Amino acid sequence: KNEVEQSPQNLTAQEGEFITINCSYSVGISALHWLQQHPGGGIVSLFMLSSGKKKHGRLIATINIQEKHSSLHITASHPRDSAVYICAVPMYSGGGADGLTFGKGTHLIIQP
Amino acid sequence: DTAVSQTPKYLVTQMGNDKSIKCEQNLGHDTMYWYKQDSKKFLKIMFSYNNKELIINETVPNRFSPKSPDKAHLNLHINSLELGDSAVYFCASRSDGDTQYFGPGTRLTVL
């Protein structure tokens, strides 16, 4: 069964700073997910990646399959980026319908 | 058009009661899940269903019984509610491309 470690747990930064959140997992996977949960509670899928790098606006996600590690970066951070960011991977290496296992989340606060 | 919907959004009830949470997805996905988010915001899978069949039951007490009448619906029935059941419950569905779509969550408070 996969296990996920995410860091940092809490991060406060000033507007405009470059943000990095790290995630490592224990078992080889088909794809890794980055999710965002806003204070209102809803969960949104930001990225799903199985290799390399993906970019969406100011968000960049990278993954190193050999090292079982992924990072989520936010460039030119803004107060609206304040949220909990959660890394998730398939519970078992086969993926499919097994469901996800989650990191403990990173609570990000961007101060103006 | 809401992709994954859950009702109710809030549920406050007394210990010992039985309650249900409903989930519907209009995305045509075959796989649906129930996840529980505890007071520390930690998410954990409870159940996984594929085409109305139970795939995963992650050591959930048998007071929790999921029911999937068709592949668009996955309801969660909870018997004899306990204080520790207080949490936010998220329903989700999975596309063929593995992206998961989450419902808005149901905040259950057991008094």
Side-chain angles (χ1 to χ4, degrees), chain A residues 16-89:
Chain A
E17 285 188 41
F18 181 81
I19 303 298
T20 296
I21 300 169
N22 294 302
C23 175
S24 59
Y25 52 93
S26 57
V27 176
I29 56 170
S30 52
L32 178 142
H33 302 250
W34 281 103
L35 309 170
Q36 180 191 57
Q37 185 171 28
H38 270 288
I43 298 174
V44 174
S45 179
L46 294 175
F47 294 103
M48 191 185 64
L49 66 167
S50 52
S51 65
K53 176 174 155 177
K54 282 191 176 179
K55 186 172 189 288
H56 182 71
R58 294 178 296 103
L59 299 177
I60 303 166
T62 64
I63 188 167
N64 185 319
I65 295 292
Q66 286 75 28
E67 293 187 4
K68 297 188 179 64
H69 181 269
S70 175
S71 293
L72 177 68
H73 305 285
I74 306 175
T75 61
S77 59
H78 190 276
R80 66 175 172 266
D81 298 325
S82 299
V84 177
Y85 293 84
I86 304 167
C87 171
V89 298

Side-chain angles (χ1 to χ4, degrees), chain A residues 37-43 82-83, chain B residues 9-10 41 88 90 104-105 107:
Chain A
Q37 185 171 28
H38 270 288
I43 298 174
S82 299
Chain B
K9 192 166 171 61
Y10 300 96
K41 299 279 197 177
V88 181
F90 286 94
R107 182 175 295 277

Side-chain angles (χ1 to χ4, degrees), chain B residues 5-56:
Chain B
S5 59
Q6 290 179 233
T7 53
K9 192 166 171 61
Y10 300 96
L11 187 49
V12 181
T13 188
Q14 299 286 334
M15 247 184 354
N17 283 350
D18 303 339
K19 289 293 178 189
S20 291
I21 306 171
K22 294 187 175 181
C23 176
E24 177 181 0
Q25 53 99 1
N26 62 6
L27 298 166
H29 295 162
D30 289 338
T31 306
M32 296 182 72
Y33 308 90
W34 277 108
Y35 295 101
K36 179 180 179 181
Q37 187 173 44
D38 63 24
S39 57
K40 294 185 178 173
K41 299 279 197 177
F42 184 55
L43 276 160
K44 195 169 180 184
I45 189 166
M46 300 174 70
F47 299 103
S48 160
Y49 264 72
N50 189 56
N51 254 326
K52 305 191 297 172
E53 299 291 327
L54 178 66
I55 304 297
I56 293 275

